[in-house]
Amino acid sequence: MTQVTVQIASPLVETFEETVEEQNGEVPGRQDEGILEVVAKIPKVSFSVIHSIRGRVRLRVPRLRYDADYAEVLQRLLKSDPLVISVRVKSAAASLVVIYKSSAVTDTKMRSRLSCLMLAASEAGMVNTDSPQPSTALAKTDSWPGMQFSVAATGLAVLGGPLGLPIPPMMVVGSIAIATFPVFQRALSGITTQGKLNIDFLDLIAIAITTFQGRFLTPALMLSLIEIGENIRDRTARSSQIQTLDLLNSLGQFVWVEREGEKLQIPTQDVQPGDIVIVYPGEQVPIDGKIIRGKALFDEQKLTGESIPVLKSQGQAVFASTLVREGRVYILAERVGNHTRAGQSIKLIQAAPVHDTRMENQAIKIAEQAVMPTLLLGGAVFAATRNPARVASVLTLDLCTGIRVSIPTSVLAALSYAARQGILIRSGRALEQLAAVDTIVFDKTGTLTKGEVTVIDVESRNPDVSNLRVLALAAAAEQRLTHPVAEAIIRYAQAQEVEIPSRSQWNYELGLGVKAEIDGEIVYVGSDRFLRQQGINMESLNEQQKSANSVIYVASSGQLQGIIQYSDVLRPESRDVINSLLTVEGVEVHMLTGDNRETAHTVAGDLGISPTHTHAEAFPEEKAAIVSQLHKQGKTVAFVGDGINDSPALAYADVSVSFGDGSEIARETADVVLMQNDLHSLLQAIAIARHTKQLIQQNTNIVVMPNLAAMAIAVLFGLNPLAATVINNGSTIIAGVNGLRPMLKPATNQSLPSER
């Protein structure tokens, strides 16, 4: 095995530029002295190529072993690169494994790209490493160690009470007072900011009375249960806030521009309106603008939802976040950064209504309804009996603690169970909304369809040539081309186990087709226009076949041999899922897409979606408007999508659903992520949410019924406060255990997320 060792420093600029050359032999400019000056200041980074195959490269980077900060920055840079599929870093072995999109970039270009990223990682200032991680940010919201203090107070109360150890009463009282501080704060906040007596005020009075009476175990147990409820409730909150959805983070780190006749490579964020940006195959367009030179095939699926790439040339508009599949273009930048169309989608997300992501709403609303009646009842008992113990019993049987613990416990158990099924539900609120959904809006491309070109039929037009021979000729001509249709033909030929003949001379014309010499004959594969240009007689085709935009033609020996039909086919589970939603779940189903109306209505018809519920040619802002309109009609709306163009609609929906392999922005915006990339998981998520809603109702009954019965006994006959605590806490424990039932269920599907 041969190892290639590269020393990265300022000389790499020249080496890098040499390796990024295009098929026409052009080498982007070496005159960029600014880059040379920057690179000269960066510490050297050496690496060795240990193993490399198409789409995967393993490197040894010694710096990874001793520089943890560098390893972290490099990993984050690689993960943000649109061409990188996955990254694995083993610092102890100084090993870096990168799996990349081999269909979008050559091996040579990818190695050069990795070299540039390793350089960038040396400059720590290029990456924002100061942004708090979700867990850190969440932890900062509650730094008071309430659980520790309440456990300590309970321990002291047990030692000095039932166990009879000589614990000074003041020590127990002090620990209870400290543990009560968060309850006091919340009670005070309810009075001063909300102008009402909340459940914490009720808890505070019960704790004070029982502590004053010297019944230390009762308030200590109450505090422990309250803290358990608070912690569980916080665990049901969305564990991570939507990260800063900066468009620049989803694009490449560098871009080529032409300034004063020189080609320079600069950071993406430094591109200005008026710059001439050069975009090569496999790269994302970083700006909105117009093509001034060249032509290329653009994959706009993530932005517009169009599943088939579009050929664009001089004078046509292009948009940020679209991918150049083939060709090279020079673009005059008109809008940059968050002012682009994709950036406006992100602004719509940030302007979306913010909802409380804690499940506490329902628990608190139910519990707070009992606050004033319980206080009034306690006051009436004291006025009639003058017995503080009976008052303490009434206040202890407050319904609040049990409800406040059992409901979040049920939600947490449901979230954990869903995660084991490959369904990430980010919050209790999302679970609650999912249970109430009555309208689901689907994006089409990549959601109801596979989002990739698939061959659906091969038809010979020559009686002497079989369908398989037509397929073999097409596959031979199209091999090693990166066009989605070419890739689909190769996949289909391999699936049909067709022997693909060798290809000698060939010439590809962008947007038209390919001419190749195969088995001694000249073969043409391409569009109707391309074959006519080559003198092929196409009159045998009927009008429908000539007008179809999902057909590619194969000709040889001067005549048409056959046609190949292709399409963005439906997911195999789409029909079943839509039918279940319409007939079993009773949900209203809509479809939104950026595709043309004819395609949209064809797909909707295949799925059984009503034409009135089919919305075509919808840009991101229009998708958000349609979702908002449905919401205003009183519907509880779920939106399912996976692209940048879906993100605003995801943000405006009552509950949003995306896939594990969707765009980064869509995943971050979504409340529910289907990690297995299967729509059946949506049905399972709805079932889990509705079952949890039923479980919450059960737990509410478990808490309310025994406490109301005990309260009647306490009012009419009297009840020891400790017995009241046992009843109250016992019902809470039973409800809590009942709420944990989902966690006891075995996972029904542990398969790994599928590739699409």
Side-chain angles (χ1 to χ4, degrees):
M1 178 177 60
T2 302
Q3 290 190 9
V4 181
T5 303
V6 180
Q7 191 78 12
I8 303 181
S10 54
L12 174 67
V13 173
E14 184 169 346
T15 305
F16 172 71
E17 290 168 349
E18 289 174 352
T19 57
V20 191
E21 58 185 283
E22 295 301 318
Q23 293 179 359
N24 65 358
E26 179 180 347
V27 180
R30 301 183 183 181
Q31 301 91 342
D32 188 4
E33 298 178 358
I35 291 182
L36 290 173
E37 293 176 1
V38 172
V39 173
K41 298 177 183 179
I42 298 176
K44 294 182 178 181
V45 181
S46 62
F47 70 91
S48 304
V49 179
I50 302 302
H51 181 67
S52 177
I53 59 174
R54 183 73 171 150
R56 183 183 184 275
V57 61
R58 182 185 173 204
L59 309 171
R60 177 171 290 122
V61 187
R63 185 168 175 177
L64 294 175
R65 186 178 291 113
Y66 61 84
D67 192 340
D69 291 338
Y70 174 78
E72 180 184 356
V73 172
L74 177 60
Q75 190 168 4
R76 292 173 61 186
L77 274 177
L78 289 170
K79 287 183 176 180
S80 69
D81 191 290
L83 296 180
V84 174
I85 297 173
S86 67
V87 179
R88 186 169 72 250
V89 175
K90 291 186 178 180
S91 298
S95 171
L96 171 66
V97 178
V98 179
I99 298 176
Y100 58 91
K101 298 177 181 178
S102 58
S103 62
V105 66
T106 64
D107 294 343
T108 303
K109 282 197 66 178
M110 193 63 204
R111 289 193 195 183
S112 299
R113 197 180 188 97
L114 293 175
S115 300
C116 197
L117 289 173
M118 282 189 278
L119 262 176
S122 297
E123 184 63 49
M126 296 186 68
V127 181
N128 181 13
T129 58
D130 297 329
S131 59
Q133 296 300 312
S135 58
T136 304
L138 199 63
K140 288 181 179 179
T141 63
D142 187 14
S143 58
W144 180 261
M147 179 61 73
Q148 292 90 320
F149 284 135
S150 62
V151 170
T154 302
L156 290 174
V158 171
L159 292 174
L163 297 183
L165 296 181
I167 304 296
M170 288 305 298
M171 181 182 295
V172 182
V173 172
S175 65
I176 291 174
I178 294 173
T180 307
F181 183 67
V183 179
F184 171 77
Q185 279 189 315
R186 292 192 294 268
L188 183 62
S189 175
I191 295 172
T192 57
T193 62
Q194 301 175 25
K196 64 180 181 181
L197 302 178
N198 56 23
I199 54 179
D200 292 292
F201 180 79
L202 199 63
D203 290 335
L204 184 63
I205 293 178
I207 291 168
I209 292 176
T210 51
T211 303
F212 180 77
Q213 291 180 320
R215 305 174 185 274
F216 301 140
L217 186 57
T218 300
L221 284 174
M222 283 184 64
L223 286 167
S224 294
L225 287 168
I226 289 170
E227 283 300 325
I228 289 172
E230 286 294 318
N231 277 273
I232 291 175
R233 192 174 62 208
D234 286 335
R235 287 282 301 277
T236 67
R238 181 168 179 166
S239 60
S240 61
Q241 302 296 325
I242 295 177
Q243 299 174 357
T244 303
L245 300 178
D246 189 344
L247 173 64
L248 298 177
N249 290 336
S250 67
L251 302 177
Q253 299 293 320
F254 300 97
V255 63
W256 288 98
V257 298
E258 186 177 76
R259 291 177 177 172
E260 299 179 357
E262 296 184 359
K263 294 183 178 66
L264 312 174
Q265 192 182 39
I266 63 174
T268 303
Q269 61 266 29
D270 291 347
V271 178
Q272 300 295 324
D275 277 339
I276 298 175
V277 176
I278 311 169
V279 185
Y280 296 93
E283 295 180 346
Q284 282 184 294
V285 178
I287 45 83
D288 285 1
K290 287 186 178 179
I291 299 174
I292 58 173
R293 270 199 334 267
K295 61 180 179 179
L297 199 65
F298 289 85
D299 185 342
E300 300 183 328
Q301 179 177 328
K302 292 298 182 184
L303 182 66
T304 67
E306 291 283 357
S307 55
I308 307 299
V310 180
L311 179 67
K312 293 189 176 183
S313 56
Q314 183 175 348
Q316 291 185 282
V318 294
F319 304 101
S321 79
T322 57
L323 177 70
V324 173
R325 297 296 299 258
E326 295 175 354
R328 182 188 59 204
V329 286
Y330 291 71
I331 305 169
L332 179 64
E334 297 177 344
R335 293 178 296 278
V336 300
N338 291 330
H339 296 289
T340 61
R341 175 172 288 178
Q344 293 303 307
S345 297
I346 293 167
K347 284 187 176 181
L348 280 172
I349 296 170
Q350 294 170 334
V354 177
H355 302 282
D356 185 1
T357 58
R358 291 175 59 155
M359 186 62 185
E360 66 181 340
N361 285 347
Q362 183 177 356
I364 288 181
K365 285 178 181 177
I366 295 173
E368 282 187 344
Q369 292 175 1
V371 172
M372 287 307 298
T374 303
L375 282 173
L376 292 174
L377 185 59
V381 169
F382 183 74
T385 65
R386 301 294 179 179
N387 186 343
R390 293 179 70 171
V391 175
S393 298
V394 171
L395 297 180
T396 301
L397 297 163
D398 57 10
L399 307 181
C400 303
T401 303
I403 292 175
R404 195 160 56 168
V405 171
S406 64
I407 293 179
T409 301
S410 303
V411 173
L412 179 61
L415 299 187
S416 300
Y417 175 69
R420 288 161 53 204
Q421 311 306 308
I423 304 167
L424 176 60
I425 303 177
R426 297 189 188 270
S427 70
R429 176 197 166 272
L431 191 73
E432 183 180 19
Q433 293 290 84
L434 197 59
V437 160
D438 55 24
T439 303
I440 299 181
V441 182
F442 288 92
D443 171 54
K444 180 184 76 69
T445 307
T447 302
L448 293 172
T449 67
K450 288 185 175 181
E452 62 181 22
V453 176
T454 302
V455 173
I456 57 177
D457 188 40
V458 178
E459 178 186 348
S460 172
R461 305 293 295 180
N462 184 342
D464 298 327
V465 177
S466 68
N467 291 348
L468 291 181
R469 178 59 179 172
V470 171
L471 178 60
L473 290 175
E478 299 276 13
Q479 58 189 314
R480 292 193 296 278
L481 296 181
T482 59
H483 192 289
V485 177
E487 294 173 347
I489 290 173
I490 298 297
R491 286 196 305 269
Y492 188 74
Q494 291 172 343
Q496 298 296 316
E497 299 182 350
V498 171
E499 183 177 349
I500 301 176
S502 60
R503 176 186 65 179
S504 53
Q505 295 183 352
W506 62 281
N507 180 58
Y508 174 62
E509 294 189 32
L510 185 63
L512 293 173
V514 60
K515 172 185 176 182
E517 184 178 337
I518 301 169
D519 292 341
E521 60 180 330
I522 302 300
V523 175
Y524 301 98
V525 180
S527 65
D528 176 279
R529 175 187 169 194
F530 177 63
L531 267 64
R532 289 180 186 277
Q533 288 178 354
Q534 308 305 320
I536 306 299
N537 184 359
M538 306 292 286
E539 298 304 322
S540 62
L541 298 176
N542 59 42
E543 291 299 320
Q544 181 180 4
Q545 289 170 326
K546 286 194 293 185
S547 64
N549 61 2
S550 58
V551 172
I552 193 169
Y553 302 92
V554 182
S556 67
S557 302
Q559 65 177 345
L560 180 68
Q561 302 296 342
I563 62 176
I564 297 176
Q565 297 183 35
Y566 61 90
S567 178
D568 177 16
V569 299
L570 292 172
R571 286 174 176 268
E573 74 273 15
S574 291
R575 288 189 180 91
D576 182 43
V577 170
I578 297 299
N579 182 62
S580 295
L581 289 172
L582 291 171
T583 60
V584 179
E585 304 295 339
V587 173
E588 182 178 299
V589 176
H590 290 247
M591 187 182 79
L592 276 173
T593 179
D595 268 351
N596 60 71
R597 296 185 184 279
E598 182 179 353
T599 301
H601 284 284
T602 299
V603 173
D606 288 345
L607 292 171
I609 299 174
S610 168
T612 58
H613 294 163
T614 304
H615 314 272
E617 300 176 358
F619 282 107
E621 58 273 18
E622 295 168 326
K623 291 185 177 184
I626 291 170
V627 170
S628 297
Q629 183 179 3
L630 290 170
H631 181 72
K632 289 177 181 177
Q633 293 174 6
K635 302 180 185 296
T636 302
V637 184
F639 183 86
V640 188
D642 72 333
I644 293 175
N645 60 317
D646 301 321
S647 303
L650 287 167
Y652 278 80
D654 293 291
V655 59
S656 50
V657 184
S658 188
F659 294 102
D661 64 355
S663 71
E664 181 179 353
I665 293 174
R667 289 197 311 271
E668 286 299 323
T669 309
D671 298 308
V672 180
V673 182
L674 310 179
M675 299 304 295
Q676 296 187 23
N677 306 306
D678 190 318
L679 284 174
H680 282 120
S681 296
L682 175 62
L683 297 177
Q684 193 173 14
I686 294 173
I688 291 171
R690 292 181 176 176
H691 178 260
T692 304
K693 186 176 181 180
Q694 295 173 356
L695 203 59
I696 287 173
Q697 186 59 51
Q698 289 178 12
N699 289 341
T700 302
N701 293 334
I702 289 172
V703 170
V704 169
M705 293 175 65
N707 277 275
L708 285 178
M711 188 174 291
I713 294 172
V715 171
L716 299 175
F717 309 105
L719 186 67
N720 187 288
L722 185 58
T725 301
V726 169
I727 293 172
N728 184 270
N729 295 346
S731 62
T732 298
I733 292 171
I734 293 172
V737 171
N738 187 54
L740 291 173
R741 279 195 295 150
M743 296 184 70
L744 303 178
K745 294 180 180 179
T748 57
N749 191 341
Q750 293 291 343
S751 61
L752 294 173
S754 60
E755 296 276 350
R756 278 195 297 154

